[in-house]
Amino acid sequence: MPLLSDAMDDARIALKSLAERVEGLAHPTLRLGVTGLSRAGKTIFTTALIHALTRGGRLPVFEPMQSGRIARAELRPQPDDAVPRFAYEDHLATLAQARQWPSSTTRVSELRLVISYASLRGSQRTLTLDLVDYPGEWLLDLPLLETSYADFSRQSLALARAPARAAVAAPYLAAVAAAGVDGPADEARAREVAARFTAYLSACRTERLAMSLLPPGRFLMPGDLEGSPALTFAPLDVGEAAPRAGSLGAMMERRFEAYKNAVVRPFFRTHFARLDRQIVLVDTLAALNAGPAALADLERALDGILAAFRTGRNSLMSALVRPRIEKVLFAATKADHLHRASHDRLEAVLARLVERARARAHDRGAALDVVALAAIRATREARVRRGGHELDAIVGTPEAGQEAAGHVFDGTEEVAVFPGELPADPDALFDPSGAGFRGLASPEGEADFRFLRFRPPAGLGPQAPLPHIRLDRALQFLLADRLS
Ligand code: GDP
Protein backbone atom coordinates (compact mmCIF):
# COMPACT_ATOMS: atom_id res chain seq x y z
CA MET A 1 0.00 0.00 0.00
CA PRO A 2 2.69 2.56 0.79
CA LEU A 3 4.24 1.74 -2.60
CA LEU A 4 1.00 2.53 -4.39
CA SER A 5 0.55 5.84 -2.59
CA ASP A 6 4.20 6.72 -3.31
CA ALA A 7 3.61 6.14 -7.01
CA MET A 8 0.42 8.20 -6.93
CA ASP A 9 2.20 10.99 -5.08
CA ASP A 10 4.92 10.94 -7.70
CA ALA A 11 2.42 11.03 -10.53
CA ARG A 12 0.58 13.95 -8.98
CA ILE A 13 3.77 15.91 -8.34
CA ALA A 14 5.00 15.21 -11.86
CA LEU A 15 1.70 16.39 -13.40
CA LYS A 16 1.49 19.51 -11.27
CA SER A 17 5.12 20.23 -11.96
CA LEU A 18 4.58 19.90 -15.71
CA ALA A 19 1.45 22.08 -15.58
CA GLU A 20 3.35 24.76 -13.66
CA ARG A 21 6.20 24.65 -16.12
CA VAL A 22 3.89 25.00 -19.14
CA GLU A 23 2.24 27.95 -17.37
CA GLY A 24 5.75 29.24 -16.60
CA LEU A 25 6.59 29.45 -20.32
CA ALA A 26 3.99 32.20 -20.73
CA HIS A 27 4.46 33.76 -17.28
CA PRO A 28 7.89 33.05 -15.82
CA THR A 29 7.44 32.14 -12.18
CA LEU A 30 9.88 31.32 -9.40
CA ARG A 31 8.79 29.63 -6.16
CA LEU A 32 11.24 30.48 -3.41
CA GLY A 33 11.02 28.61 -0.10
CA VAL A 34 12.12 30.41 3.07
CA THR A 35 12.79 28.00 5.89
CA GLY A 36 14.83 27.47 9.05
CA LEU A 37 14.15 26.21 12.55
CA SER A 38 11.96 28.18 14.93
CA ARG A 39 13.42 31.67 15.62
CA ALA A 40 16.10 31.33 12.94
CA GLY A 41 14.80 34.56 11.35
CA LYS A 42 12.30 33.51 8.62
CA THR A 43 9.71 36.20 9.34
CA ILE A 44 12.32 38.94 9.47
CA PHE A 45 14.10 37.73 6.34
CA THR A 46 10.87 37.44 4.32
CA THR A 47 9.73 40.89 5.45
CA ALA A 48 13.11 42.42 4.59
CA LEU A 49 13.22 40.70 1.20
CA ILE A 50 9.76 41.99 0.22
CA HIS A 51 10.66 45.46 1.46
CA ALA A 52 13.94 45.50 -0.49
CA LEU A 53 12.24 44.41 -3.73
CA THR A 54 9.27 46.77 -3.45
CA ARG A 55 11.01 49.82 -1.92
CA GLY A 56 14.65 49.38 -2.90
CA GLY A 57 17.50 50.23 -0.58
CA ARG A 58 21.27 50.03 -0.39
CA LEU A 59 21.81 46.77 -2.27
CA PRO A 60 25.09 47.22 -4.15
CA VAL A 61 25.71 43.50 -4.76
CA PHE A 62 22.20 42.83 -6.14
CA GLU A 63 22.96 43.71 -9.76
CA PRO A 64 19.42 43.96 -11.23
CA MET A 65 18.51 46.56 -8.59
CA GLN A 66 21.87 48.33 -8.52
CA SER A 67 21.93 48.77 -12.29
CA GLY A 68 18.38 50.15 -12.26
CA ARG A 69 16.94 47.34 -14.40
CA ILE A 70 14.16 46.59 -11.89
CA ALA A 71 11.38 49.07 -12.67
CA ARG A 72 9.07 47.98 -9.86
CA ALA A 73 7.89 45.03 -7.76
CA GLU A 74 4.28 44.81 -6.64
CA LEU A 75 2.31 42.57 -4.32
CA ARG A 76 -0.36 40.48 -6.06
CA PRO A 77 -2.92 37.90 -4.92
CA GLN A 78 -1.21 34.58 -4.28
CA PRO A 79 -2.01 31.47 -6.34
CA ASP A 80 -3.09 29.10 -3.51
CA ASP A 81 -6.32 30.28 -1.87
CA ALA A 82 -6.14 27.65 0.90
CA VAL A 83 -2.76 28.86 2.23
CA PRO A 84 -2.56 31.84 4.64
CA ARG A 85 -1.01 35.01 3.21
CA PHE A 86 2.32 36.14 4.70
CA ALA A 87 1.30 39.12 6.88
CA TYR A 88 3.86 41.51 5.38
CA GLU A 89 2.07 44.79 6.16
CA ASP A 90 1.38 43.78 9.79
CA HIS A 91 4.97 42.68 10.31
CA LEU A 92 6.31 45.92 8.87
CA ALA A 93 3.97 47.98 11.07
CA THR A 94 5.13 46.09 14.18
CA LEU A 95 8.75 46.82 13.29
CA ALA A 96 8.32 50.46 12.31
CA GLN A 97 5.57 51.67 14.65
CA ALA A 98 6.04 49.56 17.77
CA ARG A 99 9.77 49.01 17.24
CA GLN A 100 9.24 45.37 18.08
CA TRP A 101 10.00 42.13 16.29
CA PRO A 102 6.85 40.64 14.75
CA SER A 103 5.49 37.23 15.71
CA SER A 104 7.43 34.30 14.25
CA THR A 105 6.49 31.69 11.69
CA THR A 106 4.33 28.85 13.02
CA ARG A 107 2.86 27.48 9.77
CA VAL A 108 3.08 27.80 5.99
CA SER A 109 2.29 31.18 4.45
CA GLU A 110 2.69 32.59 0.96
CA LEU A 111 3.00 35.87 -0.82
CA ARG A 112 3.25 36.73 -4.52
CA LEU A 113 5.29 39.55 -6.03
CA VAL A 114 5.42 40.53 -9.66
CA ILE A 115 8.74 42.09 -10.64
CA SER A 116 8.91 44.24 -13.79
CA TYR A 117 12.41 44.55 -15.17
CA ALA A 118 14.44 45.23 -18.28
CA SER A 119 16.43 42.23 -19.49
CA LEU A 120 20.14 42.62 -20.11
CA ARG A 121 19.27 43.16 -23.78
CA GLY A 122 16.81 45.88 -22.83
CA SER A 123 13.42 44.19 -23.41
CA GLN A 124 10.67 44.63 -20.81
CA ARG A 125 9.89 41.47 -18.84
CA THR A 126 8.13 40.30 -15.69
CA LEU A 127 9.01 37.61 -13.18
CA THR A 128 6.38 36.31 -10.78
CA LEU A 129 8.01 35.48 -7.45
CA ASP A 130 6.08 33.27 -5.04
CA LEU A 131 7.51 33.28 -1.54
CA VAL A 132 6.67 30.29 0.66
CA ASP A 133 7.61 30.67 4.33
CA TYR A 134 7.41 27.42 6.33
CA PRO A 135 8.87 25.92 9.53
CA GLY A 136 12.19 24.10 9.10
CA GLU A 137 10.94 21.55 11.61
CA TRP A 138 8.61 20.29 8.88
CA LEU A 139 11.47 20.05 6.42
CA LEU A 140 13.36 17.85 8.88
CA ASP A 141 10.37 15.49 8.82
CA LEU A 142 10.87 14.56 5.18
CA PRO A 143 13.63 11.98 5.88
CA LEU A 144 11.05 10.18 8.07
CA LEU A 145 9.26 9.16 4.86
CA GLU A 146 12.10 6.72 4.29
CA THR A 147 12.42 5.67 7.96
CA SER A 148 10.63 2.81 9.73
CA TYR A 149 9.19 3.22 13.21
CA ALA A 150 11.89 0.88 14.57
CA ASP A 151 14.69 2.99 13.07
CA PHE A 152 13.04 6.23 14.15
CA SER A 153 12.83 4.85 17.70
CA ARG A 154 16.43 3.70 17.75
CA GLN A 155 17.76 7.00 16.40
CA SER A 156 15.59 9.09 18.73
CA LEU A 157 16.56 7.11 21.83
CA ALA A 158 20.26 7.23 20.95
CA LEU A 159 19.97 11.03 20.73
CA ALA A 160 17.99 11.26 23.97
CA ARG A 161 20.65 9.23 25.81
CA ALA A 162 23.56 11.33 24.48
CA PRO A 163 25.30 13.33 27.22
CA ALA A 164 24.09 16.74 26.02
CA ARG A 165 20.44 15.69 26.21
CA ALA A 166 20.26 12.94 28.83
CA ALA A 167 19.44 15.27 31.74
CA VAL A 168 16.41 16.90 30.08
CA ALA A 169 15.38 13.53 28.60
CA ALA A 170 15.27 11.74 31.97
CA PRO A 171 11.47 11.97 32.56
CA TYR A 172 10.77 10.79 29.02
CA LEU A 173 13.29 7.95 29.26
CA ALA A 174 11.70 6.88 32.55
CA ALA A 175 8.28 6.83 30.88
CA VAL A 176 9.68 4.69 28.04
CA ALA A 177 11.11 2.22 30.53
CA ALA A 178 7.84 2.06 32.48
CA ALA A 179 5.66 1.64 29.38
CA GLY A 180 7.63 -1.14 27.63
CA VAL A 181 7.05 -2.02 23.97
CA ASP A 182 5.02 -5.13 24.74
CA GLY A 183 2.74 -3.49 27.28
CA PRO A 184 -0.96 -3.19 26.45
CA ALA A 185 -2.05 -0.63 23.82
CA ASP A 186 -3.47 1.73 26.41
CA GLU A 187 -4.51 5.25 25.35
CA ALA A 188 -3.66 6.90 28.68
CA ARG A 189 -0.17 5.41 28.60
CA ALA A 190 0.37 6.46 24.99
CA ARG A 191 -0.65 10.02 25.90
CA GLU A 192 1.69 10.06 28.87
CA VAL A 193 4.74 8.92 26.90
CA ALA A 194 3.92 11.31 24.03
CA ALA A 195 3.51 14.25 26.45
CA ARG A 196 6.87 13.56 28.09
CA PHE A 197 8.52 13.11 24.71
CA THR A 198 7.11 16.49 23.57
CA ALA A 199 8.26 18.19 26.79
CA TYR A 200 11.74 16.75 26.28
CA LEU A 201 11.88 18.06 22.69
CA SER A 202 10.83 21.56 23.84
CA ALA A 203 13.43 21.56 26.60
CA CYS A 204 16.11 20.82 23.99
CA ARG A 205 15.12 23.98 22.10
CA THR A 206 15.83 26.39 24.96
CA GLU A 207 18.62 28.91 24.35
CA ARG A 208 21.03 27.20 26.72
CA LEU A 209 20.86 23.87 24.85
CA ALA A 210 19.94 25.15 21.37
CA MET A 211 19.53 21.66 19.90
CA SER A 212 18.42 21.48 16.28
CA LEU A 213 17.60 17.89 15.35
CA LEU A 214 14.30 17.10 17.07
CA PRO A 215 11.89 15.20 14.85
CA PRO A 216 8.95 14.79 14.43
CA GLY A 217 8.63 18.46 13.53
CA ARG A 218 4.93 18.84 14.34
CA PHE A 219 5.60 18.05 17.98
CA LEU A 220 7.33 21.43 18.25
CA MET A 221 5.55 23.24 15.41
CA PRO A 222 2.07 21.67 15.30
CA GLY A 223 0.54 24.31 12.97
CA ASP A 224 -3.18 23.46 12.77
CA LEU A 225 -2.56 20.02 14.37
CA GLU A 226 -2.26 21.49 17.89
CA GLY A 227 -3.73 18.95 20.33
CA SER A 228 -4.49 16.48 17.54
CA PRO A 229 -4.41 12.69 18.15
CA ALA A 230 -2.07 12.45 15.14
CA LEU A 231 0.66 13.58 17.57
CA THR A 232 -0.02 10.96 20.25
CA PHE A 233 2.92 8.67 19.66
CA ALA A 234 6.57 8.53 20.71
CA PRO A 235 9.69 6.43 20.15
CA LEU A 236 9.88 3.32 22.37
CA ASP A 237 12.72 0.96 23.20
CA VAL A 238 12.03 -1.44 20.33
CA GLY A 239 13.87 -4.73 19.89
CA GLU A 240 14.73 -6.58 16.70
CA ALA A 241 11.38 -8.36 16.42
CA ALA A 242 8.25 -6.59 15.14
CA PRO A 243 6.01 -5.44 18.02
CA ARG A 244 3.32 -7.92 19.12
CA ALA A 245 -0.20 -7.30 17.80
CA GLY A 246 -2.28 -5.39 20.35
CA SER A 247 0.81 -4.02 22.14
CA LEU A 248 1.71 -0.40 22.84
CA GLY A 249 4.59 -0.76 20.36
CA ALA A 250 2.23 -1.85 17.57
CA MET A 251 -0.10 1.08 18.36
CA MET A 252 2.78 3.58 18.26
CA GLU A 253 4.06 2.13 15.01
CA ARG A 254 0.61 2.51 13.40
CA ARG A 255 0.40 6.13 14.52
CA PHE A 256 3.89 6.87 13.27
CA GLU A 257 2.92 5.53 9.83
CA ALA A 258 -0.31 7.57 9.99
CA TYR A 259 1.75 10.70 10.79
CA LYS A 260 3.88 10.09 7.72
CA ASN A 261 0.87 9.55 5.47
CA ALA A 262 -1.48 12.18 6.84
CA VAL A 263 0.99 14.94 7.74
CA VAL A 264 4.44 14.58 6.19
CA ARG A 265 3.48 13.34 2.73
CA PRO A 266 0.81 16.03 2.09
CA PHE A 267 3.31 18.75 3.12
CA PHE A 268 5.84 17.30 0.71
CA ARG A 269 3.31 17.13 -2.12
CA THR A 270 1.51 20.42 -1.61
CA HIS A 271 4.40 22.69 -0.73
CA PHE A 272 7.89 21.30 -0.78
CA ALA A 273 7.87 19.44 -4.11
CA ARG A 274 6.81 22.62 -5.94
CA LEU A 275 9.70 24.82 -4.79
CA ASP A 276 12.31 25.95 -7.34
CA ARG A 277 14.79 27.53 -4.93
CA GLN A 278 15.29 27.55 -1.23
CA ILE A 279 16.93 29.65 1.44
CA VAL A 280 17.65 27.82 4.70
CA LEU A 281 18.18 30.23 7.60
CA VAL A 282 20.38 28.92 10.37
CA ASP A 283 20.86 30.58 13.74
CA THR A 284 24.50 29.50 13.76
CA LEU A 285 25.32 31.97 16.51
CA ALA A 286 22.77 30.41 18.86
CA ALA A 287 24.52 27.05 18.40
CA LEU A 288 27.94 28.66 18.87
CA ASN A 289 26.76 30.37 22.03
CA ALA A 290 25.44 27.10 23.44
CA GLY A 291 28.70 25.23 22.76
CA PRO A 292 30.16 22.24 20.85
CA ALA A 293 27.27 19.85 21.61
CA ALA A 294 24.78 22.28 20.02
CA LEU A 295 27.11 22.70 17.06
CA ALA A 296 27.37 18.93 16.57
CA ASP A 297 23.59 18.71 16.77
CA LEU A 298 23.22 21.46 14.18
CA GLU A 299 25.53 19.51 11.90
CA ARG A 300 23.27 16.45 12.18
CA ALA A 301 20.27 18.65 11.41
CA LEU A 302 22.01 19.91 8.27
CA ASP A 303 22.49 16.26 7.24
CA GLY A 304 18.73 15.92 7.62
CA ILE A 305 18.09 19.03 5.53
CA LEU A 306 20.27 17.78 2.70
CA ALA A 307 18.48 14.43 2.94
CA ALA A 308 15.18 16.31 2.61
CA PHE A 309 16.34 17.90 -0.63
CA ARG A 310 17.02 14.45 -2.03
CA THR A 311 13.59 13.11 -0.99
CA GLY A 312 11.54 12.21 -4.01
CA ARG A 313 14.49 12.32 -6.39
CA ASN A 314 15.13 8.61 -6.25
CA SER A 315 11.88 7.35 -7.65
CA LEU A 316 10.89 6.65 -11.22
CA MET A 317 8.41 9.48 -11.69
CA SER A 318 10.59 12.14 -10.18
CA ALA A 319 13.40 11.02 -12.46
CA LEU A 320 11.10 11.92 -15.37
CA VAL A 321 10.82 15.52 -14.23
CA ARG A 322 14.00 17.34 -13.34
CA PRO A 323 14.55 17.70 -9.58
CA ARG A 324 12.89 21.01 -8.90
CA ILE A 325 15.08 22.57 -6.27
CA GLU A 326 17.94 23.93 -8.34
CA LYS A 327 19.57 26.36 -5.89
CA VAL A 328 19.87 26.33 -2.10
CA LEU A 329 21.32 29.14 -0.03
CA PHE A 330 22.30 28.45 3.57
CA ALA A 331 22.34 31.69 5.55
CA ALA A 332 23.73 32.30 9.04
CA THR A 333 21.36 34.92 10.46
CA LYS A 334 21.73 37.73 13.04
CA ALA A 335 25.28 38.58 11.90
CA ASP A 336 24.70 42.01 13.47
CA HIS A 337 25.60 40.34 16.80
CA LEU A 338 29.18 40.20 15.55
CA HIS A 339 31.65 42.84 14.46
CA ARG A 340 32.25 43.19 10.70
CA ALA A 341 35.64 41.48 11.14
CA SER A 342 33.87 38.21 12.04
CA HIS A 343 31.23 38.10 9.28
CA ASP A 344 33.44 36.12 6.89
CA ARG A 345 34.35 33.82 9.73
CA LEU A 346 30.70 33.15 10.56
CA GLU A 347 30.18 32.31 6.91
CA ALA A 348 33.19 29.95 7.07
CA VAL A 349 31.72 28.10 10.07
CA LEU A 350 28.42 27.48 8.30
CA ALA A 351 30.20 26.61 5.03
CA ARG A 352 32.21 24.01 6.87
CA LEU A 353 29.10 22.47 8.42
CA VAL A 354 27.31 22.34 5.07
CA GLU A 355 30.34 20.94 3.21
CA ARG A 356 30.80 18.16 5.72
CA ALA A 357 27.13 17.24 5.48
CA ARG A 358 27.31 17.33 1.71
CA ALA A 359 30.40 15.13 1.57
CA ARG A 360 28.77 12.57 3.86
CA ALA A 361 25.67 12.53 1.67
CA HIS A 362 27.69 12.35 -1.59
CA ASP A 363 25.32 15.10 -2.61
CA ARG A 364 25.60 16.53 -6.10
CA GLY A 365 22.12 17.97 -6.32
CA ALA A 366 21.28 21.63 -6.26
CA ALA A 367 23.83 24.47 -6.48
CA LEU A 368 24.69 25.51 -2.92
CA ASP A 369 26.05 28.70 -1.44
CA VAL A 370 26.51 30.11 2.04
CA VAL A 371 26.19 33.66 3.40
CA ALA A 372 26.23 35.35 6.81
CA LEU A 373 23.58 38.07 6.98
CA ALA A 374 21.36 40.21 9.14
CA ALA A 375 18.07 40.74 7.33
CA ILE A 376 17.39 43.72 9.62
CA ARG A 377 20.39 45.14 11.33
CA ALA A 378 19.65 46.03 14.95
CA THR A 379 23.13 47.19 15.99
CA ARG A 380 25.83 49.58 14.82
CA GLU A 381 29.57 49.41 15.26
CA ALA A 382 31.62 51.69 17.50
CA ARG A 383 35.12 52.05 18.92
CA VAL A 384 35.21 52.04 22.72
CA ARG A 385 38.14 53.07 24.93
CA ARG A 386 38.96 50.64 27.71
CA GLY A 387 42.11 50.73 29.81
CA GLY A 388 43.98 52.92 27.34
CA HIS A 389 42.99 50.72 24.34
CA GLU A 390 40.50 51.35 21.55
CA LEU A 391 38.35 48.27 21.08
CA ASP A 392 35.67 47.27 18.55
CA ALA A 393 32.20 47.16 20.03
CA ILE A 394 28.61 46.90 18.81
CA VAL A 395 25.87 49.17 20.12
CA GLY A 396 22.19 48.23 20.40
CA THR A 397 19.10 48.52 22.61
CA PRO A 398 18.46 45.29 24.55
CA GLU A 399 14.82 44.21 24.72
CA ALA A 400 13.05 45.04 27.98
CA GLY A 401 12.95 42.49 30.78
CA GLN A 402 16.26 40.74 30.05
CA GLU A 403 18.62 40.50 32.97
CA ALA A 404 22.41 40.37 33.09
CA ALA A 405 24.75 40.72 36.08
CA GLY A 406 21.87 41.90 38.28
CA HIS A 407 20.76 44.61 35.84
CA VAL A 408 17.33 44.46 34.21
CA PHE A 409 17.11 46.24 30.85
CA ASP A 410 14.13 48.53 30.38
CA GLY A 411 14.09 48.54 26.57
CA THR A 412 15.17 52.18 26.19
CA GLU A 413 18.88 52.22 27.08
CA GLU A 414 21.59 51.65 24.51
CA VAL A 415 24.56 49.52 25.48
CA ALA A 416 27.96 48.97 23.91
CA VAL A 417 28.98 45.32 24.07
CA PHE A 418 32.03 43.40 22.97
CA PRO A 419 31.20 40.80 20.39
CA GLY A 420 33.19 37.62 20.78
CA GLU A 421 35.63 37.09 17.98
CA LEU A 422 35.29 33.96 15.89
CA PRO A 423 38.54 32.09 15.29
CA ALA A 424 40.19 32.36 11.87
CA ASP A 425 40.20 28.57 11.67
CA PRO A 426 36.65 27.21 12.18
CA ASP A 427 38.07 23.84 13.27
CA ALA A 428 38.84 25.37 16.66
CA LEU A 429 35.09 25.62 17.31
CA PHE A 430 34.43 21.96 16.65
CA ASP A 431 36.92 20.73 19.18
CA PRO A 432 35.04 20.03 22.43
CA SER A 433 38.22 20.58 24.45
CA GLY A 434 39.01 23.85 22.65
CA ALA A 435 38.42 27.42 23.73
CA GLY A 436 35.14 27.67 21.77
CA PHE A 437 33.36 30.97 21.30
CA ARG A 438 32.92 33.61 23.97
CA GLY A 439 29.94 35.46 22.46
CA LEU A 440 28.75 38.90 23.55
CA ALA A 441 30.14 40.23 26.82
CA SER A 442 29.84 43.46 28.79
CA PRO A 443 32.73 45.94 28.47
CA GLU A 444 33.64 45.32 32.12
CA GLY A 445 33.82 41.63 31.37
CA GLU A 446 31.49 40.89 34.26
CA ALA A 447 28.34 39.98 32.35
CA ASP A 448 27.64 37.24 29.85
CA PHE A 449 25.49 38.76 27.10
CA ARG A 450 25.56 35.75 24.81
CA PHE A 451 21.79 35.41 24.80
CA LEU A 452 20.98 39.11 24.66
CA ARG A 453 18.29 40.14 22.16
CA PHE A 454 18.32 43.67 20.73
CA ARG A 455 15.25 45.65 19.72
CA PRO A 456 14.84 46.48 16.04
CA PRO A 457 16.57 49.73 15.09
CA ALA A 458 14.80 53.04 15.73
CA GLY A 459 13.48 55.20 12.92
CA LEU A 460 12.17 52.48 10.57
CA GLY A 461 9.39 53.64 8.25
CA PRO A 462 7.36 51.99 5.50
CA GLN A 463 9.24 53.90 2.78
CA ALA A 464 12.76 54.15 4.19
CA PRO A 465 15.19 51.34 3.32
CA LEU A 466 15.78 48.79 6.09
CA PRO A 467 19.35 48.50 7.35
CA HIS A 468 20.82 45.04 6.73
CA ILE A 469 24.03 43.08 6.38
CA ARG A 470 24.61 41.20 3.10
CA LEU A 471 20.93 40.81 2.24
CA ASP A 472 21.94 41.91 -1.26
CA ARG A 473 24.32 38.94 -1.55
CA ALA A 474 21.45 36.59 -0.78
CA LEU A 475 19.21 38.27 -3.37
CA GLN A 476 21.95 38.10 -5.98
CA PHE A 477 22.39 34.33 -5.53
CA LEU A 478 18.68 33.55 -5.29
CA LEU A 479 17.17 35.84 -7.93
CA ALA A 480 19.62 37.67 -10.18
CA ASP A 481 19.97 35.03 -12.93
CA ARG A 482 16.18 34.94 -13.31
CA LEU A 483 16.15 38.71 -13.80
CA SER A 484 18.76 38.84 -16.53
P1 GDP B 1 11.21 32.64 12.69
O1 GDP B 1 10.72 31.79 13.82
O2 GDP B 1 12.21 31.90 11.86
O3 GDP B 1 10.11 33.26 11.87
O4 GDP B 1 12.07 33.82 13.37
P2 GDP B 1 11.84 35.39 13.33
O5 GDP B 1 12.06 35.92 11.95
O6 GDP B 1 10.55 35.73 13.98
O7 GDP B 1 13.07 35.84 14.25
C1 GDP B 1 13.15 35.41 15.60
C2 GDP B 1 13.85 36.46 16.41
O8 GDP B 1 15.20 36.54 16.00
C3 GDP B 1 13.29 37.87 16.21
O9 GDP B 1 12.21 38.08 17.07
C4 GDP B 1 14.50 38.72 16.57
O10 GDP B 1 14.64 38.80 17.97
C5 GDP B 1 15.66 37.88 16.05
N1 GDP B 1 16.10 38.27 14.69
C6 GDP B 1 15.70 37.81 13.49
N2 GDP B 1 16.38 38.39 12.48
C7 GDP B 1 17.26 39.25 13.06
C8 GDP B 1 18.27 40.13 12.56
O11 GDP B 1 18.51 40.30 11.35
N3 GDP B 1 18.99 40.84 13.52
C9 GDP B 1 18.75 40.70 14.86
N4 GDP B 1 19.50 41.40 15.71
N5 GDP B 1 17.83 39.88 15.36
C10 GDP B 1 17.09 39.17 14.48
Side-chain angles (χ1 to χ4, degrees):
M1 196 57 195
L3 270 183
L4 184 60
S5 80
D6 280 357
M8 282 169 60
D9 274 356
D10 278 351
R12 234 173 299 185
I13 292 167
L15 278 177
K16 185 135 196 170
S17 207
L18 275 176
E20 283 179 348
R21 265 176 232 158
V22 171
E23 164 78 13
L25 292 178
H27 303 286
T29 301
L30 182 65
R31 278 179 86 80
L32 171 63
V34 179
T35 197
L37 295 179
S38 158
R39 307 208 51 84
K42 298 177 289 295
T43 306
I44 304 303
F45 176 85
T46 310
T47 305
L49 180 147
I50 298 167
H51 196 273
L53 288 173
T54 54
R55 304 275 170 218
R58 238 188 64 73
L59 303 160
V61 177
F62 183 38
E63 183 278 328
M65 185 75 91
Q66 177 68 10
S67 62
R69 292 193 295 106
I70 293 186
R72 68 191 163 278
E74 290 167 328
L75 302 181
R76 291 282 167 77
Q78 67 195 48
D80 301 298
D81 290 332
V83 180
R85 180 175 181 277
F86 181 79
Y88 169 66
E89 296 81 359
D90 296 349
H91 294 332
L92 196 61
T94 307
L95 283 161
Q97 288 157 26
R99 203 185 160 196
Q100 273 168 9
W101 300 106
S103 49
S104 299
T105 302
T106 54
R107 55 181 187 177
V108 179
S109 68
E110 269 187 6
L111 194 131
R112 171 168 277 192
L113 281 167
V114 175
I115 306 172
S116 306
Y117 68 99
S119 75
L120 287 171
R121 295 207 178 128
S123 51
Q124 294 305 311
R125 302 251 170 93
T126 61
L127 175 69
T128 300
L129 176 64
D130 286 328
L131 299 171
V132 185
D133 170 23
Y134 67 92
E137 286 78 359
W138 301 4
L139 178 65
L140 280 172
D141 267 354
L142 295 184
L144 293 185
L145 290 175
E146 283 147 20
T147 307
S148 66
Y149 174 70
D151 286 339
F152 162 69
S153 287
R154 281 187 210 105
Q155 290 161 11
S156 302
L157 283 165
L159 278 175
R161 289 178 179 135
R165 297 179 176 206
V168 287
Y172 156 63
L173 291 172
V176 168
V181 188
D182 288 328
D186 172 51
E187 184 62 35
R189 183 141 272 191
R191 293 237 303 266
E192 159 83 5
V193 185
R196 293 217 190 166
F197 178 58
T198 311
Y200 144 70
L201 294 178
S202 317
C204 287
R205 276 302 286 163
T206 57
E207 285 175 334
R208 305 272 150 188
L209 290 181
M211 295 290 157
S212 305
L213 187 60
L214 303 159
R218 300 283 176 147
F219 283 57
L220 291 178
M221 272 293 153
D224 46 12
L225 289 179
E226 184 104 53
S228 150
L231 308 184
T232 321
F233 69 92
L236 292 177
D237 222 340
V238 293
E240 290 306 318
R244 198 174 44 77
S247 67
L248 186 66
M251 179 182 183
M252 295 287 197
E253 180 170 38
R254 220 172 31 246
R255 289 183 178 178
F256 174 75
E257 291 302 325
Y259 178 83
K260 281 161 52 173
N261 284 324
V263 178
V264 184
R265 219 180 281 286
F267 166 72
F268 175 71
R269 197 167 51 222
T270 323
H271 300 291
F272 185 78
R274 292 167 58 208
L275 297 175
D276 299 304
R277 293 185 181 185
Q278 175 71 61
I279 179 163
V280 181
L281 303 170
V282 182
D283 195 344
T284 316
L285 274 172
L288 286 167
N289 279 330
L295 210 53
D297 203 72
L298 172 59
E299 188 166 348
R300 277 194 294 269
L302 290 172
D303 280 350
I305 288 172
L306 286 179
F309 291 133
R310 285 194 311 278
T311 305
R313 279 206 194 139
N314 306 333
S315 52
L316 175 67
M317 260 314 198
S318 50
L320 296 178
V321 290
R322 83 184 147 77
R324 270 194 76 137
I325 294 194
E326 51 188 19
K327 273 188 159 193
V328 183
L329 180 62
F330 287 87
T333 52
K334 310 181 197 178
D336 55 340
H337 284 233
L338 291 172
H339 189 265
R340 174 166 19 108
S342 284
H343 293 164
D344 284 343
R345 293 179 177 186
L346 180 62
E347 227 162 81
V349 174
L350 185 58
R352 206 195 114 124
L353 286 165
V354 171
E355 271 157 27
R356 293 208 316 197
R358 194 173 209 193
R360 269 193 300 276
H362 304 292
D363 182 69
R364 276 185 286 279
L368 296 192
D369 201 4
V370 175
V371 66
L373 58 80
I376 297 184
R377 176 179 196 156
T379 67
R380 60 183 202 286
E381 294 182 353
R383 298 279 289 171
V384 173
R385 276 199 85 75
R386 277 288 175 280
H389 296 287
E390 283 241 317
L391 298 171
D392 289 323
I394 57 170
V395 178
T397 310
E399 284 180 3
Q402 301 177 96
E403 197 203 309
H407 180 76
V408 181
F409 293 105
D410 66 4
T412 63
E413 61 199 310
E414 276 205 329
V415 295
V417 295
F418 290 138
E421 203 177 318
L422 287 166
D425 175 10
D427 279 342
L429 295 164
F430 292 82
D431 178 2
S433 60
F437 173 61
R438 287 269 305 117
L440 291 179
S442 72
E444 287 71 32
E446 66 195 14
D448 173 4
F449 284 162
R450 276 180 302 163
F451 304 107
L452 202 61
R453 288 183 312 275
F454 297 105
R455 289 183 70 185
L460 298 183
Q463 305 295 335
L466 301 176
H468 67 87
I469 296 170
R470 299 186 180 179
L471 179 66
D472 48 345
R473 284 228 349 234
L475 295 177
Q476 178 69 14
F477 177 77
L478 291 169
L479 303 179
D481 60 319
R482 293 296 304 271
L483 295 168
S484 62

